[in-house]
Amino acid sequence: SAMAAEAGAPISKQNWSFAGIFGTYDENQLQRGFQVFRESCSSCHGARLLAFRNLSEPGGPGFSEEQVKALAAEYEVADPTAEGGFRPAVPADRWPSPFLTEQDARDANGGSLPPDFSVLAKARGVADPFPFWVFNYFTGYSEGGPDYITALLTGYHDEAPEGFELPEGKYYNDVFPGHAIGMAPPLFDEQIAYVAAEGETEVPLTVEQYARDVSAFMMWVAEPGLVSRKETG
């Protein structure tokens, strides 16, 4: 219990396009982050508040309505009125859970329940010591969630430090409290093939880049109205 209460390593603040009172989401980064989520994360983590149609709404990844329709059709959603209890998804449907029940999710993950991604970027954060947290009121800092998620995804080690007893089935992570995390490293270099957008320079295929992109996407999922809220302010 003492180990579980131990705080993780200090978390570095990243340079986000949506930071500050005038910040906006980077559409290309959100598209890349969605690709990371879809190809690496969605097999374990759901996003129950995300509807397919949200992906084409202003301020988001900027997919066309045709792209969203085609994407939704690749998935099935539960529908008791449909033959067999399932039907192809449509843009109005929410992102389907990778597991039918919570118990199925726990059984597939050694008893642990993978957290839903819908508001995770707002549920996590970075605690600044006094007096540094005071400056957050002036800078509009609200990127603690993406900073934490990025640090977590890049904080894995192949082996635990000497003298650290890592429980069986756990992985060592610099940031996770207690350092013993049940989620295996989900990202590795050149895992996902990015296609550079028109006019965009080639993006590195590294764990660091994947982590930043999916963290930005998770921030948008948690707060899709961030840009309009800032514009109103």
Side-chain angles (χ1 to χ4, degrees):
S1 58
M3 181 186 300
E6 180 186 350
I11 296 173
S12 300
K13 293 183 179 179
Q14 304 290 319
N15 182 24
W16 300 105
S17 67
F18 49 84
I21 60 176
F22 299 110
T24 61
Y25 289 118
D26 181 334
E27 186 175 287
N28 292 335
Q29 184 175 49
L30 293 185
Q31 291 189 10
R32 296 194 305 267
F34 171 70
Q35 186 178 352
V36 176
F37 165 69
R38 185 186 183 194
E39 296 184 20
S40 178
C41 308
S42 63
S43 59
C44 293
H45 298 274
R48 60 185 177 81
L49 299 182
L50 173 68
F52 287 98
R53 65 185 176 191
N54 297 147
L55 297 167
S56 63
E57 293 175 351
F63 292 113
S64 68
E65 293 185 3
E66 290 72 21
Q67 288 176 308
V68 170
K69 288 180 181 179
L71 172 67
E74 296 180 21
Y75 293 84
E76 287 189 335
V77 295
D79 185 346
T81 65
E83 183 177 356
F86 290 88
R87 60 167 173 77
V90 296
D93 287 318
R94 301 295 178 92
W95 189 268
S97 171
F99 304 102
L100 292 177
T101 67
E102 177 180 322
Q103 189 58 49
D104 289 339
R106 292 187 182 278
D107 291 343
N109 290 277
S112 298
L113 181 64
D116 185 84
F117 272 15
S118 298
V119 294
L120 195 61
K122 300 293 289 184
R124 298 294 186 266
V126 176
D128 289 328
F130 181 83
F132 300 104
W133 59 265
V134 175
F135 297 105
N136 293 339
Y137 289 101
F138 298 97
T139 62
Y141 176 69
S142 60
E143 299 81 53
D147 285 341
Y148 175 85
I149 295 168
T150 300
L152 179 75
L153 293 175
T154 58
Y156 284 92
H157 290 267
D158 293 335
E159 297 181 0
E162 184 177 355
F164 184 91
E165 294 185 9
L166 189 65
E168 184 177 356
K170 301 292 185 179
Y171 303 86
Y172 187 86
N173 188 284
D174 282 334
V175 174
F176 192 76
H179 302 302
I181 187 172
M183 180 176 68
L187 302 173
F188 53 88
D189 291 346
E190 300 185 356
Q191 172 185 2
I192 297 168
Y194 283 155
V195 177
E198 184 177 353
E200 183 183 34
T201 58
E202 186 173 349
V203 180
L205 305 181
T206 62
V207 169
E208 290 76 11
Q209 185 67 52
Y210 296 146
R212 283 180 50 81
D213 291 343
V214 75
S215 297
F217 175 73
M218 290 173 65
M219 181 65 177
W220 170 77
V221 172
E223 194 169 1
L226 176 143
V227 175
S228 59
R229 175 175 61 80
K230 290 184 177 182
E231 289 176 348
T232 300

